[in-house]
Short mmCIF file of all heavy atoms in Angstrom, two decimals:
data_model
loop_
_atom_site.label_atom_id
_atom_site.label_comp_id
_atom_site.label_asym_id
_atom_site.label_seq_id
_atom_site.Cartn_x
_atom_site.Cartn_y
_atom_site.Cartn_z
N ILE A 1 -52.56 30.64 25.37
CA ILE A 1 -53.02 29.62 26.32
C ILE A 1 -51.95 28.55 26.48
O ILE A 1 -51.70 28.06 27.60
CB ILE A 1 -54.36 29.01 25.85
CG1 ILE A 1 -55.48 30.03 26.01
CG2 ILE A 1 -54.70 27.74 26.63
CD1 ILE A 1 -55.79 30.43 27.44
N THR A 2 -51.31 28.16 25.39
CA THR A 2 -50.20 27.21 25.48
C THR A 2 -49.14 27.76 26.43
O THR A 2 -48.65 27.05 27.31
CB THR A 2 -49.58 26.99 24.09
OG1 THR A 2 -50.58 26.51 23.18
CG2 THR A 2 -48.44 25.97 24.15
N HIS A 3 -48.77 29.02 26.25
CA HIS A 3 -47.79 29.66 27.12
C HIS A 3 -48.26 29.65 28.58
O HIS A 3 -47.48 29.34 29.50
CB HIS A 3 -47.56 31.10 26.66
CG HIS A 3 -46.67 31.90 27.57
ND1 HIS A 3 -45.30 31.93 27.43
CD2 HIS A 3 -46.95 32.68 28.65
CE1 HIS A 3 -44.78 32.69 28.37
NE2 HIS A 3 -45.76 33.17 29.12
N ALA A 4 -49.54 29.98 28.79
CA ALA A 4 -50.08 30.03 30.15
C ALA A 4 -50.04 28.66 30.81
O ALA A 4 -49.79 28.55 32.02
CB ALA A 4 -51.51 30.57 30.12
N PHE A 5 -50.28 27.60 30.04
CA PHE A 5 -50.18 26.26 30.61
C PHE A 5 -48.75 25.95 31.02
O PHE A 5 -48.51 25.29 32.04
CB PHE A 5 -50.70 25.20 29.62
CG PHE A 5 -52.14 24.86 29.83
CD1 PHE A 5 -53.10 25.23 28.91
CD2 PHE A 5 -52.55 24.17 30.96
CE1 PHE A 5 -54.45 24.93 29.11
CE2 PHE A 5 -53.89 23.86 31.18
CZ PHE A 5 -54.84 24.24 30.25
N GLY A 6 -47.78 26.43 30.25
CA GLY A 6 -46.39 26.25 30.66
C GLY A 6 -46.12 26.92 31.99
O GLY A 6 -45.44 26.37 32.86
N VAL A 7 -46.68 28.11 32.16
CA VAL A 7 -46.52 28.85 33.41
C VAL A 7 -47.15 28.10 34.57
O VAL A 7 -46.52 27.87 35.61
CB VAL A 7 -47.15 30.26 33.30
CG1 VAL A 7 -47.18 30.95 34.66
CG2 VAL A 7 -46.40 31.11 32.28
N LEU A 8 -48.41 27.71 34.41
CA LEU A 8 -49.13 27.15 35.56
C LEU A 8 -48.64 25.75 35.90
O LEU A 8 -48.65 25.35 37.08
CB LEU A 8 -50.64 27.18 35.31
CG LEU A 8 -51.29 26.19 34.36
CD1 LEU A 8 -51.70 24.90 35.06
CD2 LEU A 8 -52.52 26.82 33.71
N LYS A 9 -48.21 24.97 34.90
CA LYS A 9 -47.70 23.63 35.20
C LYS A 9 -46.36 23.70 35.93
O LYS A 9 -46.09 22.90 36.84
CB LYS A 9 -47.56 22.81 33.91
CG LYS A 9 -48.88 22.48 33.23
CD LYS A 9 -49.77 21.61 34.09
CE LYS A 9 -51.10 21.32 33.41
NZ LYS A 9 -52.00 20.48 34.25
N LYS A 10 -45.54 24.68 35.57
CA LYS A 10 -44.29 24.86 36.32
C LYS A 10 -44.59 25.34 37.73
O LYS A 10 -43.98 24.84 38.71
CB LYS A 10 -43.40 25.87 35.60
CG LYS A 10 -42.07 26.11 36.30
CD LYS A 10 -41.16 27.03 35.49
CE LYS A 10 -39.81 27.22 36.19
NZ LYS A 10 -38.88 28.05 35.38
N ALA A 11 -45.53 26.26 37.86
CA ALA A 11 -45.90 26.77 39.17
C ALA A 11 -46.47 25.65 40.05
O ALA A 11 -46.16 25.57 41.25
CB ALA A 11 -46.91 27.90 39.03
N ALA A 12 -47.29 24.80 39.45
CA ALA A 12 -47.87 23.68 40.21
C ALA A 12 -46.78 22.73 40.69
O ALA A 12 -46.82 22.23 41.83
CB ALA A 12 -48.89 22.94 39.35
N ALA A 13 -45.81 22.47 39.82
CA ALA A 13 -44.71 21.57 40.22
C ALA A 13 -43.90 22.18 41.37
O ALA A 13 -43.50 21.48 42.30
CB ALA A 13 -43.81 21.30 39.01
N ILE A 14 -43.68 23.49 41.30
CA ILE A 14 -42.95 24.17 42.38
C ILE A 14 -43.72 24.06 43.70
O ILE A 14 -43.14 23.75 44.76
CB ILE A 14 -42.71 25.65 42.01
CG1 ILE A 14 -41.72 25.75 40.85
CG2 ILE A 14 -42.22 26.44 43.22
CD1 ILE A 14 -41.60 27.15 40.26
N ALA A 15 -45.04 24.30 43.63
CA ALA A 15 -45.87 24.22 44.84
C ALA A 15 -45.91 22.79 45.36
O ALA A 15 -45.82 22.56 46.58
CB ALA A 15 -47.28 24.72 44.54
N ASN A 16 -46.07 21.82 44.48
CA ASN A 16 -46.10 20.42 44.91
C ASN A 16 -44.77 19.98 45.51
O ASN A 16 -44.73 19.20 46.46
CB ASN A 16 -46.47 19.52 43.72
CG ASN A 16 -47.95 19.54 43.42
OD1 ASN A 16 -48.77 19.55 44.33
ND2 ASN A 16 -48.30 19.55 42.14
N ASN A 17 -43.67 20.46 44.94
CA ASN A 17 -42.35 20.12 45.47
C ASN A 17 -42.20 20.64 46.90
O ASN A 17 -41.56 19.99 47.75
CB ASN A 17 -41.28 20.72 44.56
CG ASN A 17 -39.87 20.51 45.11
OD1 ASN A 17 -39.25 21.44 45.62
ND2 ASN A 17 -39.38 19.29 45.01
N LYS A 18 -42.81 21.77 47.18
CA LYS A 18 -42.74 22.34 48.52
C LYS A 18 -43.66 21.62 49.49
O LYS A 18 -43.29 21.40 50.65
CB LYS A 18 -43.10 23.83 48.47
CG LYS A 18 -42.99 24.55 49.80
CD LYS A 18 -43.19 26.04 49.65
CE LYS A 18 -42.99 26.77 50.97
NZ LYS A 18 -43.14 28.24 50.84
N LEU A 19 -44.86 21.23 49.01
CA LEU A 19 -45.88 20.66 49.90
C LEU A 19 -45.89 19.13 49.90
O LEU A 19 -46.30 18.53 50.89
CB LEU A 19 -47.26 21.19 49.48
CG LEU A 19 -47.44 22.71 49.56
CD1 LEU A 19 -48.78 23.12 48.95
CD2 LEU A 19 -47.36 23.18 51.01
N LYS A 20 -45.48 18.53 48.80
CA LYS A 20 -45.47 17.05 48.70
C LYS A 20 -44.16 16.60 48.07
O LYS A 20 -44.14 15.98 47.01
CB LYS A 20 -46.66 16.57 47.87
CG LYS A 20 -47.99 17.04 48.44
CD LYS A 20 -49.23 16.40 47.88
CE LYS A 20 -49.27 15.95 46.49
NZ LYS A 20 -50.60 15.47 46.07
N PRO A 21 -43.04 16.88 48.72
CA PRO A 21 -41.72 16.58 48.13
C PRO A 21 -41.49 15.09 47.90
O PRO A 21 -40.66 14.73 47.06
CB PRO A 21 -40.73 17.15 49.15
CG PRO A 21 -41.49 17.19 50.45
CD PRO A 21 -42.91 17.48 50.07
N GLU A 22 -42.20 14.26 48.63
CA GLU A 22 -42.03 12.82 48.41
C GLU A 22 -42.62 12.37 47.08
O GLU A 22 -42.23 11.34 46.53
CB GLU A 22 -42.66 12.03 49.57
CG GLU A 22 -44.20 11.98 49.59
CD GLU A 22 -44.87 13.28 50.04
OE1 GLU A 22 -44.15 14.23 50.39
OE2 GLU A 22 -46.12 13.32 50.02
N LYS A 23 -43.57 13.15 46.57
CA LYS A 23 -44.19 12.82 45.28
C LYS A 23 -43.61 13.66 44.14
O LYS A 23 -43.32 13.16 43.07
CB LYS A 23 -45.71 13.02 45.35
CG LYS A 23 -46.42 11.98 46.19
CD LYS A 23 -47.93 12.14 46.09
CE LYS A 23 -48.65 11.02 46.83
NZ LYS A 23 -48.44 9.69 46.19
N MET A 24 -43.46 14.97 44.37
CA MET A 24 -42.81 15.83 43.38
C MET A 24 -41.39 16.07 43.87
O MET A 24 -41.08 17.05 44.54
CB MET A 24 -43.57 17.16 43.21
CG MET A 24 -42.94 18.12 42.20
SD MET A 24 -42.69 17.42 40.54
CE MET A 24 -44.36 17.21 39.98
N THR A 25 -40.52 15.13 43.52
CA THR A 25 -39.13 15.19 43.98
C THR A 25 -38.37 16.30 43.26
O THR A 25 -38.82 16.84 42.25
CB THR A 25 -38.43 13.85 43.71
OG1 THR A 25 -38.39 13.64 42.28
CG2 THR A 25 -39.19 12.69 44.37
N ASP A 26 -37.19 16.60 43.78
CA ASP A 26 -36.36 17.61 43.13
C ASP A 26 -36.00 17.19 41.71
O ASP A 26 -35.92 18.05 40.81
CB ASP A 26 -35.07 17.82 43.94
CG ASP A 26 -35.33 18.52 45.28
OD1 ASP A 26 -36.43 19.09 45.45
OD2 ASP A 26 -34.43 18.48 46.14
N GLU A 27 -35.78 15.90 41.52
CA GLU A 27 -35.44 15.39 40.17
C GLU A 27 -36.61 15.62 39.21
O GLU A 27 -36.42 16.07 38.08
CB GLU A 27 -35.09 13.91 40.24
CG GLU A 27 -34.66 13.33 38.90
CD GLU A 27 -34.39 11.84 38.96
OE1 GLU A 27 -34.80 11.20 39.96
OE2 GLU A 27 -33.82 11.31 38.00
N LYS A 28 -37.80 15.31 39.67
CA LYS A 28 -38.99 15.53 38.83
C LYS A 28 -39.19 17.02 38.55
O LYS A 28 -39.49 17.42 37.43
CB LYS A 28 -40.23 14.95 39.51
CG LYS A 28 -40.30 13.43 39.52
CD LYS A 28 -41.60 12.96 40.16
CE LYS A 28 -41.72 11.44 40.11
NZ LYS A 28 -43.00 10.96 40.71
N LEU A 29 -39.04 17.83 39.59
CA LEU A 29 -39.23 19.27 39.43
C LEU A 29 -38.27 19.84 38.38
O LEU A 29 -38.68 20.68 37.55
CB LEU A 29 -39.01 19.99 40.76
CG LEU A 29 -39.06 21.52 40.71
CD1 LEU A 29 -40.42 22.02 40.22
CD2 LEU A 29 -38.73 22.12 42.08
N ALA A 30 -37.05 19.38 38.39
CA ALA A 30 -36.06 19.89 37.43
C ALA A 30 -36.49 19.56 36.00
O ALA A 30 -36.40 20.42 35.11
CB ALA A 30 -34.69 19.30 37.74
N ALA A 31 -36.96 18.35 35.79
CA ALA A 31 -37.37 17.93 34.45
C ALA A 31 -38.63 18.68 34.01
O ALA A 31 -38.73 19.13 32.86
CB ALA A 31 -37.61 16.42 34.42
N VAL A 32 -39.60 18.79 34.93
CA VAL A 32 -40.84 19.51 34.62
C VAL A 32 -40.54 20.97 34.31
O VAL A 32 -41.05 21.55 33.34
CB VAL A 32 -41.84 19.41 35.79
CG1 VAL A 32 -43.04 20.33 35.54
CG2 VAL A 32 -42.32 17.97 35.95
N SER A 33 -39.71 21.60 35.12
CA SER A 33 -39.40 23.01 34.95
C SER A 33 -38.74 23.28 33.61
O SER A 33 -39.08 24.25 32.91
CB SER A 33 -38.48 23.50 36.08
OG SER A 33 -39.15 23.46 37.32
N LYS A 34 -37.81 22.42 33.22
CA LYS A 34 -37.12 22.60 31.92
C LYS A 34 -38.11 22.45 30.78
O LYS A 34 -38.12 23.26 29.82
CB LYS A 34 -36.00 21.57 31.78
CG LYS A 34 -35.23 21.67 30.47
CD LYS A 34 -34.45 22.96 30.37
CE LYS A 34 -33.47 22.94 29.19
NZ LYS A 34 -34.14 22.87 27.89
N ALA A 35 -38.98 21.44 30.85
CA ALA A 35 -39.98 21.24 29.80
C ALA A 35 -40.95 22.42 29.74
O ALA A 35 -41.31 22.89 28.65
CB ALA A 35 -40.73 19.93 30.04
N CYS A 36 -41.35 22.91 30.89
CA CYS A 36 -42.28 24.05 30.94
C CYS A 36 -41.62 25.31 30.39
O CYS A 36 -42.29 26.13 29.73
CB CYS A 36 -42.75 24.29 32.37
SG CYS A 36 -43.93 23.06 32.96
N ASP A 37 -40.34 25.49 30.66
CA ASP A 37 -39.64 26.65 30.10
C ASP A 37 -39.68 26.62 28.57
O ASP A 37 -39.84 27.65 27.92
CB ASP A 37 -38.18 26.67 30.59
CG ASP A 37 -38.05 27.06 32.06
OD1 ASP A 37 -39.02 27.64 32.61
OD2 ASP A 37 -36.99 26.78 32.65
N GLU A 38 -39.54 25.43 28.01
CA GLU A 38 -39.59 25.29 26.56
C GLU A 38 -41.00 25.57 26.03
O GLU A 38 -41.16 26.18 24.96
CB GLU A 38 -39.15 23.88 26.16
CG GLU A 38 -37.66 23.63 26.43
CD GLU A 38 -37.24 22.22 26.06
OE1 GLU A 38 -38.08 21.45 25.53
OE2 GLU A 38 -36.06 21.87 26.30
#
């Protein structure tokens, strides 16, 4: 489940970056993605 949360939180950030880039900026996405990978 911990692993699955890493997957879905990264996926959510990717989707938000595409649909709400003013809120989920590229800078935020990069940080979220790296943390989720870990």
